[in-house]
């Protein structure tokens, strides 16, 4: 059974703190993604990675960075958390095969609140 | 610029009836489309997909229709069940890479 896990389901941080969100997949997938979901805005792509140590900006990368040191792990970093980063963060992974039938598997999400 | 649009934020349907969820797109390079379902406090799960070379794909109670000339697709759920109540996201990709572009989602409520 495919599995994407995220380190925390709920997280509360203070403005200015550095925040790490961890994601691990056990499917040996090449691709990993970080999204945030906000009411009325859907899923917006923050960063993605096609391979170890490789990263590409998504649609809303400002205020975030990522790290992929190992194939199975993709970390999202908020260098200095702000209240407008309060959101649901979703990690996903998929195989590296080209083509449309490349389903992304999602983790359960981390609800981050920045006070 | 929103490339995948789900213009109706919500839909309410009686149990047993048909649910029709609509999605429009603007990027003519999209050639594969997916629907995801999301319950509160859970990650989205894949539901059904369709390639641009087809106009229909069916999986049990779920059917997706694609009208390429209109850049429109729809998800039909027949018959609708209370357990189908969730947020449904339409997504599209060019197929050249694995990046998906999502719509804003539509909240489906199925009334018993």
């Amino acid at each position: 059974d495919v599995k994407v896990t995220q380190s925390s389901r709920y997280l509360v941080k203070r403005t200015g703190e550095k925040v790490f969100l961890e994601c691990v997949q056990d499917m040996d997938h090449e691709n990993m993604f970080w999204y945030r979901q906000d009411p009325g805005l859907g899923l917006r792509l923050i960063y993605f990675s096609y391979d170890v140590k490789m990263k590409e900006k998504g649609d809303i990368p400002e205020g975030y960075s990522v790290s992929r040191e190992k194939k199975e792990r993709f970390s999202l970093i908020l260098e200095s958390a702000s209240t407008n980063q309060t959101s649901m963060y979703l990690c996903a992974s998929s195989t590296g095969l080209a083509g449309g039938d490349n389903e992304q598997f999602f983790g359960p999400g981390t609800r981050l609140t920045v006070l | 610029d929103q490339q995948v649009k789900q213009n109706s934020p919500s839909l309410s349907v009686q149990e047993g009836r048909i649910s029709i969820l609509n999605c429009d797109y603007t990027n003519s390079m999209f050639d594969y489309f997916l629907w995801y379902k999301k319950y509160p406090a859970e990650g989205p799960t894949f539901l059904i997909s369709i390639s641009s070379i087809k106009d229909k794909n069916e999986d049990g109670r779920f059917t997706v229709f694609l009208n390429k000339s209109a850049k429109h697709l729809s998800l039909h759920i027949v018959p609708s069940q209370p357990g189908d109540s969730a947020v449904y996201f339409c997504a599209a990709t060019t197929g050249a890479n694995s990046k998906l572009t999502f719509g804003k989602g539509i909240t489906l409520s199925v009334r018993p």
Side-chain angles (χ1 to χ4, degrees):
Chain A
D1 197 18
V2 297
K3 203 85 183 259
V4 178
T5 57
Q6 295 183 227
S7 51
S8 305
R9 294 300 301 271
Y10 300 94
L11 209 52
V12 179
K13 295 291 181 181
R14 297 215 174 268
T15 301
E17 279 192 78
K18 190 169 186 176
V19 182
F20 293 86
L21 302 182
E22 306 286 342
C23 175
V24 177
Q25 51 95 3
D26 66 358
M27 297 165 282
D28 201 34
H29 282 169
E30 285 77 13
N31 306 322
M32 295 189 75
F33 307 83
W34 275 107
Y35 297 88
R36 61 178 284 178
Q37 183 198 0
D38 300 288
L41 296 177
L43 272 68
R44 294 182 292 167
L45 182 64
I46 305 171
Y47 266 97
F48 58 105
S49 169
Y50 289 139
D51 203 350
V52 175
K53 295 193 186 293
M54 173 272 162
K55 61 186 178 185
E56 287 197 32
K57 293 180 180 180
D59 301 318
I60 51 165
E62 297 77 20
Y64 303 94
S65 62
V66 290
S67 172
R68 193 162 181 205
E69 296 296 318
K70 294 185 177 181
K71 188 177 184 181
E72 68 271 18
R73 189 179 296 269
F74 193 36
S75 302
L76 180 69
I77 303 154
L78 287 67
E79 294 291 341
S80 178
S82 64
T83 54
N84 62 14
Q85 292 178 310
T86 291
S87 186
M88 169 70 86
Y89 289 87
L90 292 159
C91 176
S93 71
S94 69
T95 70
L97 300 173
D101 55 343
N102 205 343
E103 176 191 345
Q104 290 186 18
F105 296 87
F106 284 83
T110 296
R111 170 70 65 184
L112 172 67
T113 302
V114 182
L115 302 175
Chain B
D1 180 32
Q2 198 182 348
Q3 298 186 66
V4 178
K5 301 178 184 180
Q6 295 178 261
N7 292 320
S8 301
S10 63
L11 175 68
S12 182
V13 171
Q14 190 78 36
E15 181 179 5
R17 298 289 189 102
I18 184 171
S19 295
I20 300 177
L21 288 69
N22 293 308
C23 179
D24 297 291
Y25 62 96
T26 58
N27 187 344
S28 58
M29 298 299 292
F30 287 145
D31 61 1
Y32 209 87
F33 305 89
L34 305 91
W35 284 93
Y36 281 80
K37 176 179 178 180
K38 185 181 185 299
Y39 293 117
E42 294 184 15
T45 55
F46 171 75
L47 192 57
I48 192 169
S49 62
I50 188 166
S51 164
S52 60
I53 63 173
K54 295 185 176 182
D55 55 17
K56 178 183 174 181
N57 189 27
E58 198 170 350
D59 183 2
R61 296 187 297 115
F62 302 91
T63 303
V64 56
F65 296 91
L66 175 63
N67 182 334
K68 280 201 306 182
S69 60
K71 293 191 177 68
H72 176 82
L73 63 154
S74 60
L75 174 67
H76 292 212
I77 307 173
V78 182
S80 301
Q81 299 173 354
D84 296 328
S85 297
V87 178
Y88 289 79
F89 291 100
C90 173
T93 180
T94 61
N97 56 44
S98 302
K99 184 179 169 185
L100 293 177
T101 300
F102 284 86
K104 293 183 177 182
I106 178 169
T107 300
L108 173 66
S109 299
V110 180
R111 308 184 304 272

